[in-house]
Amino acid sequence: MTTTGEPRQGDPTEAAGPATRAMVEGDSQSEPSGAPGGNGTAIGGELLRDEHLATRDAEVVEPTSWLRLAATTFAENRLALVGLGVIVFMVLFSFVGPLIYHTNQVATNLIDENLSPSAAHLLGTSPEGRDELGRLMVGGQSTIEVGLGVGLLSTLFGLVYGALAGYVGGVVDAVLMRIVDAMLSIPYLFFVVLLAALIRPNLLVVILVLSAVSWLSTARLVRGETLSLRERDYVVAAKGFGSRAREIVRRHVTPNLLGVVVVNGTLTVANAILAFASITYLGLGPPPPATSWGNMLSTGINNLFDGYWWQLWPAAFLIVVTVLAINVIGDGLADVVEVRLQKR
Amino acid sequence: MTERVLEVEHLVTEFRLRSGPVRAVDDVSFHVDAGECVGLVGESGCGKSTTGLSIMRLLPQVGHIVGGRIVLGGRDLVGLSEEEMRRVRGREVAMVFQDPMTSLNPTMTIGRQVAEPLRIHERMPKEQARERALELLRLVGIPNPAERLDDYPHQLSGGLRQRVVIATALAAQPKLLIADEPTTALDVTIQAQILDLLDELRESLGMALVLITHDMGVIAGRTDRVMVMYAGKIVEGAPTVELFRHMRHPYAEALLESIPQLDQDADAPLYSIPGHPPDLSEPQVGCRFAPRCRYATQECSTTEPPVVEEEGNRFVACYHPVGESQGSRRHMVDQEQTLRWHAAATARRAALEGAPLLVEVEHLVKEFPIRRGILQRAKDSVKAVSDVSFAIRQGETFGLAGESGCGKSTIGRLVVALDRPTSGRIRLGGQELLRLGSAELRRRRRDVQLMFQDPYASLDPRMRVGSILREPLLVQGIGDRRAQWQAVARLLGEVGLSRKATGLYPHEFSGGQRQRIGLARALTLEPRLVVADEQALQERHGLTYLVISHDLAVLRYLSDTIGVMYLGKLVEVGPAGRVYDAPAHPYTRGLIGSIPIPDPSRERSKRGGGIRGELPSPVHPPSGCRFRTRCPLAEPICAEQEPPMQVFGPGHAAACHFPLQTPTTDAPAPPGVVLGQPREPEPV
């Protein structure tokens, strides 16, 4: 987390300070540096001059909505906008694409196996003779569902769990965090292999398993942040005017966690897509004809030395582009949350 | 003929920021002779620190010296390569920074850190360097230096740390020492000791010193000549005694007028310089102070005033220098306002007589257990507050003074019910808040509000000021949406901020403005008591205040009644004027004596009278009177018996075996203070 504190003596930003200060009128503060005596001693004189403000100022001064402000800031980050565009394209490609570009992704057609790209099959065919472009669309569906599903599920759960442990503290914290430690000590592939042996893994199971693994690091991160947030003066101030614990968590703790949580969340999405790819690469994912980009990647690698490049590169390209897009969206969201770095 | 150590000529330093260059130092020239102390004084952002860093060539990445010369020992430092400069730093010029904690490496013992420059510059063998480090630590007055050599910085107090930093700077015997706010982070008692040390070292080593500070009192007492800086320029330079006899530049005059002083009329308003310093990223036309200057004319805003040499080895850059007649203090504030303030103060004091007690603190004790081991058993405790009693009347401003670590902030938190006392009682309007049920306590929290020491830290960085000010109303369920926003608008007006502030984040404000936001929030719920931790207030808004500060000059100016704390004990309490003019406790006298006075003759005459040594550990406080280890009057009885509170006049009491005046018995005791033998605190 970036914390921009008070500029120190000799800090270059200090020389530039008056520009920002001038944004607020009605200020005439002489400020001998660091002098507790000097600070704020101008309040009285100021009051006398600004008395008229108080009476005139009966109209409502509600500021513009937070959402609009957030959207503007996000839009200022061009790269994040591109990332958002990419994700929208991927979703349309995977979910709307098959409605336009009809292919049979269930039947095996050995006559058409391993065809190179042509007018009939724009990206060639798979070893089972299925159209690769259509397959990328279908594979994209499961990939996106797993990525976003795991990202959301593990972030939400990790956030609540970590915030609870950190804010309540004491015995609750100790017990909750030991559970996390215990779970972290089990390798996630063990879970997957175990589950694959017990039940036939479908998409929901994959999402649950990957979430069960990814929320742990989120919870740890959130708990650590919460521990430090809990002691901040503004939290004490909120207690001081009578806020309840849940009000404090909602208004002060959670918003200040968002920075790390959002960035961590996008990493989780990216990691989940890659983990899903490796699970299906090992053949532990949903069985054929279901597929995913990771699954297609593994097939492509198996056939790499036969020169069937179209079975490998398009899937690899889509995975990399999607993960990158999600990461830059994360950066954009971090900008929105990190209000101190916004230029206005 | 004295040797000239440093000659700075037409120095220009720029910060090249993304938004464009900022000229932080613009055409600065001054010199320092051997054994001389030259002060650089000005508001934050005036370029005084940047000047120091330019001489060291330690500017941040974006900083560049774009013009002028810095001649040190006959050599221009501006053109030197980084490698040549490395040999100059430490050996010819060294620097001491503001915060001794961050300028020491926490992972190295202090012995090694002091020896480091010797190892680097003189390639001294390890053993010899250690010997020399020991000598240096002794030189800077570290008690038992041999035992301290292998300590780490966190094991030392702030004052001792700053001594170590000075020892490190002195290691390679530089000809020039630059001290940038060396005592700003320290208590007044320690500040006096460190400044004494710098003085002694300058005399004994014949070293030249550049002292950078915002504190006019420090300047008055310690420097031979002063350069007053404003917006990157030296606007006035003079021998210290001459400068304080009469200031020529209106800025220098205004700077002195705007700080509260011990000896001034506490009922008169303080002068405040209107407006802000100029934005140095823009080209400057005319005199930089003109927009804030009372004497400015057309000429000032169009052409820059030239530097004019004057009699008495001084110079000033101003078209309308202030006259020679010093006149009375406060002459910058208009008479009518002063009269109004006087009337208000008199009326207030009359109203205070017979006002009911709002806060009653009785035998308050707060101990923080120190937990160790796996079982987290309490091994010991920090005795933060030990049996303190006092009372605050309705409408009164009660000032609580003392060094850091004396327990004054702990009392603040206890009074607003953010912490539970170990024992003792705090009543607000006759009722103990902490005895109330949680729902009732939550509702009654609106009656007591705390203004935090650091206003920035107390404002949620992700909330805009509008939401910050509205939140208390929302939490307490007062008014509907419209009424709440109207209240926010009214509060902003009351503290003198624009309505535009509602849409901005706390980081978009200056320090002083954030403080006003903090004040506005504290006032939102119309509390009965405001506890202000290290906050200066000027307008009382008719409320009752507990003001906590280490700065006695500020407290003198703000408070009706003052309580002085030492290591968890209230040692003296009384009407502000009396406590200052006739203190009964030696600690109070020492504390007042440590405050630097911006008057060279008075400041210099009091050398050596301050409080010696450091605050003892609050885990094992001294027996009997806790101040005895640092007290000049201490006798054996002080170690055996805790002195009881005695009355010294109306509302004035102190706890000392050898008070500075004779106690009276017929005068009324201050409200709330329990006299006689202190009661043993009973555990709850």
Side-chain angles (χ1 to χ4, degrees):
Chain A
M1 270 198 67
T2 348
T3 357
T4 37
E6 282 274 347
R8 268 185 54 116
Q9 289 276 318
D11 185 332
T13 56
E14 218 179 53
T20 5
R21 289 172 199 176
M23 295 182 71
V24 186
E25 57 186 37
D27 170 61
S28 55
Q29 171 77 16
S30 71
E31 198 195 346
S33 80
N39 277 354
T41 42
I43 293 170
E46 213 28 61
L47 261 174
L48 294 169
R49 226 170 313 143
D50 278 337
E51 248 159 26
H52 61 281
L53 251 180
T55 44
R56 186 191 64 190
D57 211 340
E59 61 194 87
V60 173
V61 286
E62 199 167 342
T64 47
S65 89
W66 188 85
L67 217 63
R68 187 179 300 168
L69 208 67
T72 320
T73 315
F74 187 83
E76 272 169 17
N77 187 332
R78 299 275 162 230
L79 207 56
L81 273 189
V82 171
L84 192 65
V86 168
I87 295 300
V88 169
F89 171 79
M90 291 298 174
V91 170
L92 290 177
F93 172 79
S94 307
F95 291 90
V96 183
L99 304 178
I100 301 160
Y101 186 77
H102 302 281
T103 53
N104 187 342
Q105 294 296 334
V106 180
T108 308
N109 182 358
L110 293 178
I111 298 167
D112 291 338
E113 64 169 33
N114 299 328
L115 294 180
S116 55
S118 65
H121 302 286
L122 286 176
L123 283 177
T125 59
S126 72
E128 297 83 28
R130 296 177 187 129
D131 183 83
E132 276 287 303
L133 183 58
R135 203 156 177 71
L136 282 173
M137 294 173 178
V138 177
Q141 293 179 2
S142 61
T143 307
I144 290 170
E145 281 167 14
V146 167
L148 295 184
V150 172
L152 280 177
L153 208 62
S154 65
T155 301
L156 279 180
F157 191 74
L159 177 64
V160 172
Y161 193 95
L164 188 73
Y167 194 78
V168 176
V171 184
V172 175
D173 178 37
V175 171
L176 290 181
M177 290 330 280
R178 290 305 78 74
I179 293 173
V180 168
D181 289 346
M183 288 188 71
L184 271 175
S185 64
I186 308 169
Y188 88 98
L189 272 179
F190 175 79
F191 272 118
V192 178
V193 173
L194 187 75
L195 275 166
L198 292 175
I199 50 170
R200 222 177 115 111
N202 60 23
L203 221 48
L204 186 65
V205 172
V206 170
I207 291 175
L208 288 178
V209 168
L210 287 180
S211 301
V213 179
S214 344
W215 72 271
L216 297 167
S217 56
T218 311
R220 269 196 162 178
L221 188 75
V222 166
R223 180 246 180 195
E225 277 294 307
T226 309
L227 275 182
S228 97
L229 288 173
R230 192 176 66 164
E231 304 300 326
R232 300 283 163 92
D233 277 355
Y234 53 82
V235 169
V236 180
K239 271 185 210 157
F241 49 69
S243 298
R244 300 173 180 90
R246 62 182 149 88
E247 286 171 325
I248 290 175
V249 170
R250 183 163 52 92
R251 281 211 201 95
H252 300 290
V253 177
T254 314
N256 281 288
L257 283 170
L258 281 182
V260 284
V261 167
V262 162
V263 173
N264 184 68
T266 58
L267 286 177
T268 311
V269 171
N271 283 337
I273 289 177
L274 296 177
F276 185 40
S278 61
I279 287 173
T280 41
Y281 179 78
L282 291 174
L284 300 170
T291 191
S292 70
W293 290 342
N295 186 258
M296 294 174 72
L297 192 69
S298 82
T299 317
I301 289 172
N302 289 340
N303 295 344
L304 188 59
F305 293 110
D306 298 329
Y308 304 150
W309 57 266
W310 59 89
Q311 292 178 0
L312 175 71
W313 295 115
F317 176 77
L318 289 186
I319 290 179
V320 170
V321 167
T322 307
V323 168
L324 276 178
I326 286 171
N327 279 333
V328 295
I329 290 176
D331 284 346
L333 289 176
D335 286 351
V336 170
V337 180
E338 193 45 76
V339 292
R340 279 164 295 198
L341 297 182
Q342 289 169 17
K343 339 179 243 301
R344 286 202 278 151
Chain B
M1 188 67 207
T2 45
E3 182 202 348
R4 184 142 298 182
V5 175
L6 174 74
E7 178 97 50
V8 177
E9 289 170 5
H10 307 293
L11 177 69
V12 180
T13 300
E14 279 185 357
F15 291 112
R16 298 197 183 129
L17 305 181
R18 253 177 300 170
S19 51
V22 171
R23 195 163 273 211
V25 175
D26 196 354
D27 196 12
V28 159
S29 305
F30 67 98
H31 67 269
V32 187
D33 291 335
E36 191 183 29
C37 178
V38 172
L40 289 182
V41 70
E43 291 170 290
S44 68
C46 72
K48 54 190 195 300
S49 290
T50 308
T51 305
L53 291 171
S54 300
I55 297 168
M56 289 296 287
R57 291 265 313 272
L58 281 177
L59 290 165
Q61 284 267 300
V62 293
H64 301 274
I65 297 174
V66 294
R69 291 168 11 112
I70 300 169
V71 183
L72 183 76
R75 193 158 50 146
D76 185 4
L77 299 186
V78 173
L80 292 190
S81 71
E82 188 50 36
E83 182 54 31
E84 288 168 313
M85 201 54 220
R86 200 181 61 75
R87 279 192 285 262
V88 171
R89 286 187 207 119
R91 206 148 49 171
E92 290 179 45
V93 54
M95 191 155 180
V96 173
F97 294 93
Q98 175 172 342
D99 187 346
M101 193 65 216
T102 51
S103 37
L104 290 172
N105 182 343
T107 64
M108 269 169 84
T109 63
I110 60 169
R112 278 183 59 205
Q113 292 191 60
V114 175
E116 202 181 8
L118 299 166
R119 307 262 296 142
I120 292 168
H121 286 299
E122 312 193 350
R123 309 204 171 279
M124 208 180 257
K126 218 172 183 170
E127 277 314 303
Q128 201 187 335
R130 200 179 151 86
E131 280 300 306
R132 180 90 179 100
L134 189 62
E135 264 173 56
L136 283 162
L137 290 182
R138 193 169 293 132
L139 181 73
V140 296
I142 297 219
N144 309 326
E147 291 165 32
R148 294 288 193 175
L149 267 183
D150 296 319
D151 278 0
Y152 286 90
H154 72 269
Q155 292 169 293
L156 306 180
S157 69
L160 288 184
R161 263 183 234 141
Q162 194 61 300
R163 285 175 193 265
V164 172
V165 173
I166 292 171
T168 312
L170 295 177
Q173 294 170 319
K175 288 179 242 159
L176 174 69
L177 184 66
I178 301 171
D180 186 359
E181 303 272 5
T183 54
T184 306
L186 306 172
D187 273 310
V188 276
T189 53
I190 307 297
Q191 161 168 303
Q193 294 173 17
I194 295 288
L195 292 172
D196 282 343
L197 172 69
L198 284 174
D199 273 345
E200 287 160 26
L201 292 172
R202 189 159 60 86
E203 265 166 47
S204 59
L205 305 177
M207 190 176 59
L209 180 65
V210 173
L211 187 61
I212 299 170
T213 179
H214 68 276
D215 189 326
M216 286 298 241
V218 170
I219 287 287
R222 310 290 171 166
T223 60
D224 300 312
R225 281 185 301 125
V226 194
M227 304 293 138
V228 181
M229 284 191 78
Y230 182 76
K233 291 254 179 200
I234 294 182
V235 293
E236 179 166 9
T240 308
V241 179
E242 293 295 318
L243 184 84
F244 282 89
R245 187 172 300 153
H246 63 268
M247 302 204 165
R248 297 284 285 154
H249 199 282
Y251 173 66
E253 183 195 43
L255 195 61
L256 187 63
E257 297 294 340
S258 60
I259 50 173
Q261 286 167 40
L262 277 182
D263 57 345
Q264 79 188 38
D265 177 0
D267 292 338
L270 268 184
Y271 179 70
S272 73
I273 308 174
H276 334 258
D279 181 355
L280 295 178
S281 62
E282 278 158 22
Q284 301 293 320
V285 186
C287 173
R288 290 164 193 215
F289 188 58
R292 306 171 74 186
C293 182
R294 296 179 314 143
Y295 310 103
T297 56
Q298 190 61 37
E299 192 183 18
C300 298
S301 46
T302 50
T303 32
E304 191 177 323
V307 173
V308 182
E309 301 274 343
E310 292 190 340
E311 219 176 294
N313 199 16
R314 62 192 297 177
F315 62 88
V316 63
C318 181
Y319 287 121
H320 313 287
V322 185
E324 316 239 317
S325 67
Q326 196 188 4
S328 63
R329 281 215 193 296
R330 302 277 71 80
H331 61 279
M332 299 188 68
V333 178
D334 82 276
Q335 283 303 310
E336 201 183 316
Q337 198 188 345
T338 309
L339 286 176
R340 247 185 304 150
W341 276 62
H342 268 281
T346 316
R348 254 170 45 75
R349 259 194 285 275
L352 272 185
E353 295 292 325
L357 297 182
L358 180 66
V359 181
E360 293 159 88
V361 173
E362 279 173 27
H363 299 295
L364 193 65
V365 176
K366 180 68 186 176
E367 296 182 356
F368 296 100
I370 303 170
R371 296 180 193 281
R372 285 209 192 97
I374 311 169
L375 293 174
Q376 294 287 294
R377 227 175 260 157
K379 296 273 160 142
D380 226 325
S381 63
V382 175
K383 282 92 183 163
V385 177
S386 304
D387 193 16
V388 167
S389 303
F390 63 92
I392 307 175
R393 284 167 294 187
Q394 189 105 44
E396 183 177 40
T397 301
F398 189 99
L400 206 52
E403 288 168 280
S404 51
C406 72
K408 55 191 194 301
S409 291
T410 307
I411 290 198
R413 286 180 62 107
L414 290 169
V415 167
V416 296
L418 279 170
D419 263 331
R420 231 163 237 287
T422 308
S423 70
R425 251 195 281 271
I426 302 166
R427 283 201 211 90
L428 182 80
Q431 203 170 23
E432 258 186 281
L433 285 189
L434 284 170
R435 287 277 160 97
L436 299 171
S438 64
E440 178 68 7
L441 171 64
R442 213 178 68 73
R443 220 176 50 74
R444 288 286 302 278
R445 280 195 183 279
R446 58 182 295 184
D447 289 346
V448 280
Q449 287 298 303
L450 177 65
M451 281 173 72
F452 288 79
Q453 191 164 359
D454 177 358
Y456 191 35
S458 75
L459 304 172
D460 189 334
R462 271 164 239 274
M463 271 167 89
R464 283 174 292 167
V465 167
S467 316
I468 288 175
L469 295 182
R470 183 185 167 215
E471 196 190 359
L473 298 170
L474 209 58
V475 165
Q476 292 281 350
I478 299 169
D480 60 7
R481 189 185 188 86
R482 201 185 146 74
Q484 287 170 354
W485 284 113
Q486 278 169 351
V488 169
R490 199 192 62 241
L491 279 164
L492 284 172
E494 251 174 66
V495 298
L497 287 173
S498 142
R499 277 178 301 151
K500 277 188 211 156
T502 51
L504 300 178
Y505 288 100
H507 72 271
E508 292 172 287
F509 294 86
S510 72
Q513 289 170 333
R514 285 182 202 138
Q515 203 167 24
R516 285 190 246 171
I517 296 166
L519 173 67
R521 182 176 59 183
L523 299 179
T524 311
L525 294 173
E526 294 164 14
R528 299 166 76 185
L529 173 76
V530 175
V531 175
D533 193 352
E534 302 286 358
Q535 299 273 323
L537 328 143
Q538 209 176 35
E539 185 71 2
R540 291 184 167 95
H541 298 271
L543 294 172
T544 310
Y545 287 96
L546 173 60
V547 185
I548 296 165
S549 179
H550 68 279
D551 190 330
L552 280 119
V554 170
L555 280 188
R556 160 90 172 97
Y557 186 71
L558 294 173
S559 318
D560 303 304
T561 307
I562 295 214
V564 179
M565 285 194 70
Y566 184 78
L567 206 63
K569 289 273 179 195
L570 188 71
V571 296
E572 181 158 2
V573 62
R578 257 197 84 82
V579 170
Y580 279 91
D581 300 338
H585 200 285
Y587 178 63
T588 312
R589 184 177 66 177
L591 211 50
I592 293 168
S594 308
I595 306 167
I597 307 168
D599 178 341
S601 56
R602 283 170 58 202
E603 180 59 19
R604 279 159 209 217
S605 65
K606 72 181 193 196
R607 250 349 118 73
I611 296 166
R612 297 159 299 159
E614 308 258 337
L615 203 67
S617 158
V619 179
H620 304 290
S623 63
C625 171
R626 291 190 177 179
F627 183 56
R628 69 177 162 84
T629 52
R630 296 168 81 187
C631 183
L633 310 175
E635 302 271 343
I637 187 186
C638 301
E640 289 153 18
Q641 256 179 45
E642 193 179 331
M645 273 279 178
Q646 289 173 289
V647 177
F648 294 92
H652 184 196
C656 179
H657 287 301
F658 303 99
L660 303 169
Q661 45 184 289
T662 337
T664 55
T665 42
D666 47 352
V673 172
V674 183
L675 300 172
Q677 279 307 115
R679 202 188 58 152
E680 272 304 300
E682 56 197 37
V684 168

